[in-house]
């Protein structure tokens, strides 16, 4: 079996080595924030900022190593569908927060 499989469209799926590298990086990016929370040595705002930073880096690692998002011309549809997904996700999350805040503001007794 080949180490770098391709689909009928000709796009590469990655090798076992690349999946293993992505897995190890994601595991490290999970363990470090876990240790920061379980052993609080930093202030809460700094810990929260570091958690968000590690989360963003982990998302990028997963996009590159597992979803194979890259700048190739074949990946144009992948990038377009990913951007569309981000827009829909932003709309859902932003409107959910707005609805919950609005309900809290208008229904809670002050």
């Amino acid at each position: 079996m080949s180490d770098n499989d391709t689909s009928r469209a000709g796009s590469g799926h990655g090798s076992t080595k690349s999946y293993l590298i992505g897995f190890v990086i994601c595991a490290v990016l999970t363990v470090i924030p876990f240790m920061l929370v379980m052993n609080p040595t930093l202030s809460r705002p700094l810990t929260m900022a570091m958690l968000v930073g590690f989360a963003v880096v982990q998302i990028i690692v997963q996009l590159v190593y597992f979803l194979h998002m890259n700048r190739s011309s074949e990946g144009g549809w992948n990038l377009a569908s990913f951007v569309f997904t981000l827009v829909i996700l932003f709309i859902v999350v932003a409107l959910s927060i707005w609805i919950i805040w609005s309900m809290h503001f208008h229904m809670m007794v002050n």
Side-chain angles (χ1 to χ4, degrees), residues 18-95:
S18 70
Y19 283 122
L20 189 60
I21 290 171
F23 175 74
V24 169
I25 293 172
C26 285
V28 169
L29 290 173
T30 300
V31 169
I32 293 173
F34 181 77
M35 290 300 168
L36 285 173
V37 171
M38 294 306 292
N39 302 317
T41 57
L42 304 172
S43 65
R44 289 183 94 168
L46 183 59
T47 302
M48 199 62 169
M50 290 185 73
L51 288 176
V52 170
F54 277 108
V56 169
V57 171
Q58 188 168 14
I59 288 171
I60 292 170
V61 167
Q62 290 181 3
L63 288 174
V64 171
Y65 283 99
F66 301 127
L67 295 179
H68 311 293
M69 295 283 180
N70 54 22
R71 296 185 192 182
S72 67
S73 61
E74 298 90 22
W77 284 108
N78 285 341
L79 182 62
S81 64
F82 177 68
V83 170
F84 178 73
T85 302
L86 285 180
V87 168
I88 296 298
L89 185 65
F90 175 76
I91 290 171
V92 168
V93 170
L95 289 178

